[in-house]
Amino acid sequence: MTADSRSGPEQVSSDAEVCVVGAGPQALAVVTHLVTARPSLHDEIVVIDPGGEWLQTWQSQFDRLEIGVLRSPSVHHPAVDPGALSQYVADKRMPRSNLPYDPPLTHVFTSFCNSIIESMQLRASVIAARVISLDPAGHERTRVTTTAGVFVARQLIWAGSTRTPTVPAPIVELLAASPKIAHGSDVDLPNIGPLDGHHVIVVGGGLTAGHLAVGARARGADVTLVTRRPIVERDFDVEPGWLGPRHLDGYSQLRSPTRRFEVAQTARGGGTMPSWMHRRLELEGSDGSITNVVGEIESIAECGAGLDIRAGGQRINAGHCWLATGTRPDIRADIALGHLVDEHVDGIPVIDSSLRVSGTNVFMTGSLATIELGPAAGNLWGARMAARKICREITGTDLAPDAAAIPTPGAVVSTAERST
């Protein structure tokens, strides 16, 4: 890449070997694998992200929800060596979560990622920009028009977010109009302030719902969790069998992209909580301050200074309603990407075994790679698998197999709940 192509707006580079859209863990995993396999690519990679820094969006999401520990085990991270994070923790004598499967504490994971970025000198690779359009540029190249200039890339890797909030039908209209209702992705717990005397409804039965409930209770609120089913305990978003051949061998035999999508959706199911979060809710709500109503949201309306909510056959009055109802990936949420991808299943692109969109030089990572990688594509495990596949396709090098791809349980201590 030309030396002045990073210097400011309206600069044009015609020789960017790789353009990565997004600067989260998925993007970092791809870049670390590419540079490890072919060091000469270091100065030929452009990373485009509105925040202009590695992991900025990722970290802000964890900060807003006060998430102190990841759900993925320590063997799943952006570095090439699956044991690198555990070794880093040992070398630096950093604290561990002491939870099943040894998931890393958030600040430890961030510190580890920063060490990768610094040691591989990747900080300057990120350009603060937003993608405006993606267009074929001939000879299997893509013209990437951004708010910081135009790049013509030989390879384009999409690691950006295309997620849209999932909102229960009775709430859709009021969500945009009422400040009393917020999607979980927009709740900023550190800036909420005291909630003494308030009643907060949290809709959802997943780990995010647990963090929101704990956060509201810590600020003095009474909390009602509204869940479609009784809370389901599960260590990960998907069963560990989806991280290896046990389930993936059969999945790979499915020829229909639509059928793969359906199987992946079923495997993920609804929201679930690790046992440690469920225990924490039971402990902190043992005085009746956290309750659970099982059922669908039937109606919601503003009533004076609060909300009148009907759910599971019950009527609930509350001052706030927070939706921990998740998000869904969809290429149609981004005009630039949607314009480039012709074949998809409900917004998930149909890709080949190398994660490439047919007829293009565009690769998918994250949940957009679900049809090829399976239901765990959007997790850190998926980041590693995508990075290896894309690296092999671009560089011809297949980095060492992930011997630790499937986690094994770690120690559990009685005070585990306190670690978050």
Side-chain angles (χ1 to χ4, degrees):
M1 175 170 206
T2 55
D4 62 350
S5 59
R6 303 178 190 266
S7 60
E10 304 306 323
Q11 299 297 318
V12 178
S13 170
S14 61
D15 60 352
E17 185 69 21
V18 179
C19 178
V20 181
V21 179
Q26 301 276 351
L28 183 58
V30 171
V31 172
T32 58
H33 280 65
L34 288 175
V35 173
T36 299
R38 186 185 294 173
S40 61
L41 281 174
H42 182 277
D43 295 327
E44 301 296 330
I45 297 175
V46 179
V47 180
I48 298 171
D49 187 88
E53 296 180 13
W54 286 107
L55 304 180
Q56 184 184 77
T57 300
W58 164 276
Q59 187 60 53
S60 67
Q61 290 171 340
F62 278 78
D63 290 345
R64 287 200 304 272
L65 294 177
E66 297 181 337
I67 298 175
V69 61
L70 274 64
R71 194 169 188 175
S72 296
S74 291
V75 292
H76 297 164
H77 52 73
V80 173
D81 176 10
L85 175 52
S86 294
Q87 189 63 54
Y88 179 81
V89 170
D91 291 345
K92 300 292 184 180
R93 298 183 179 180
M94 302 191 82
R96 295 170 59 177
S97 65
N98 294 317
L99 293 172
Y101 297 96
D102 196 26
L105 298 173
T106 303
H107 77 275
V108 171
F109 184 84
T110 300
S111 176
F112 171 69
C113 289
N114 283 333
S115 73
I116 298 172
I117 293 165
E118 296 303 329
S119 65
M120 300 187 75
Q121 299 181 325
L122 300 177
R123 190 75 63 186
S125 299
V126 184
I127 296 174
R130 180 177 55 83
V131 174
I132 298 172
S133 66
L134 301 171
D135 303 285
H139 301 293
E140 296 186 345
R141 292 174 181 264
T142 299
R143 182 180 180 87
V144 186
T145 303
T146 79
T147 52
V150 180
F151 307 91
V152 178
R154 186 181 298 277
Q155 312 287 352
L156 176 70
I157 300 165
W158 186 276
S161 175
T162 59
R163 290 186 170 273
T164 57
T166 302
V167 181
I171 303 179
V172 171
E173 186 174 343
L174 198 57
L175 174 62
S178 175
K180 304 180 187 71
I181 306 175
H183 193 273
S185 57
D186 297 320
V187 174
D188 187 1
L189 286 173
N191 293 311
I192 289 291
L195 292 172
D196 300 88
H198 288 255
H199 189 185
V200 176
I201 301 293
V202 177
V203 183
L207 183 54
T208 297
H211 283 294
L212 288 173
V214 167
R217 182 67 199 125
R219 287 157 178 79
D222 287 334
V223 180
T224 298
L225 269 173
V226 177
T227 61
R228 290 183 297 174
R229 61 186 183 184
I231 291 173
V232 176
E233 292 186 5
R234 195 162 68 188
D235 289 307
F236 308 114
D237 291 337
V238 297
E239 295 295 341
W242 283 105
L243 308 183
R246 180 179 176 185
H247 295 328
L248 289 179
D249 280 354
Y251 187 78
S252 65
Q253 298 302 312
L254 299 175
R255 300 301 180 189
S256 166
T258 299
R259 180 58 184 149
R260 285 194 180 192
F261 174 77
E262 292 169 348
V263 170
Q265 290 291 91
T266 300
R268 291 195 68 85
T272 61
M273 288 185 192
S275 58
W276 58 263
M277 175 55 85
H278 195 190
R279 298 289 85 76
R280 182 174 181 182
L281 289 176
E282 292 178 331
L283 178 64
E284 297 195 15
S286 59
D287 59 354
S289 58
I290 300 178
T291 57
N292 182 199
V293 170
V294 178
E296 301 279 356
I297 295 291
E298 299 157 8
S299 66
I300 184 168
E302 289 191 296
C303 181
L307 297 166
D308 182 13
I309 299 172
R310 293 183 182 273
Q314 299 187 35
R315 182 175 179 178
I316 310 167
N317 293 313
H320 303 274
C321 179
W322 296 342
L323 306 177
T325 47
T327 59
R328 64 180 304 273
D330 191 333
I331 58 169
R332 296 165 295 189
D334 189 284
I335 296 175
L337 185 61
H339 173 72
L340 203 65
V341 178
D342 293 327
E343 190 178 0
H344 64 88
V345 180
D346 198 21
I348 304 299
V350 176
I351 53 181
D352 64 21
S353 60
S354 67
L355 311 189
R356 188 197 304 265
V357 176
S358 178
T360 73
N361 66 335
V362 179
F363 296 86
M364 293 289 120
T365 64
S367 296
L368 293 181
T370 292
I371 288 178
E372 182 59 32
L373 293 181
N379 299 348
L380 288 170
W381 171 89
R384 297 182 62 78
M385 296 303 104
R388 282 188 55 207
K389 282 179 172 286
I390 294 171
C391 177
R392 182 172 59 220
E393 183 67 14
I394 291 178
T395 70
T397 300
D398 189 1
L399 297 177
D402 238 337
I406 303 176
T408 55
V412 185
V413 296
S414 60
T415 56
E417 290 86 357
R418 301 177 194 170
S419 66
T420 58

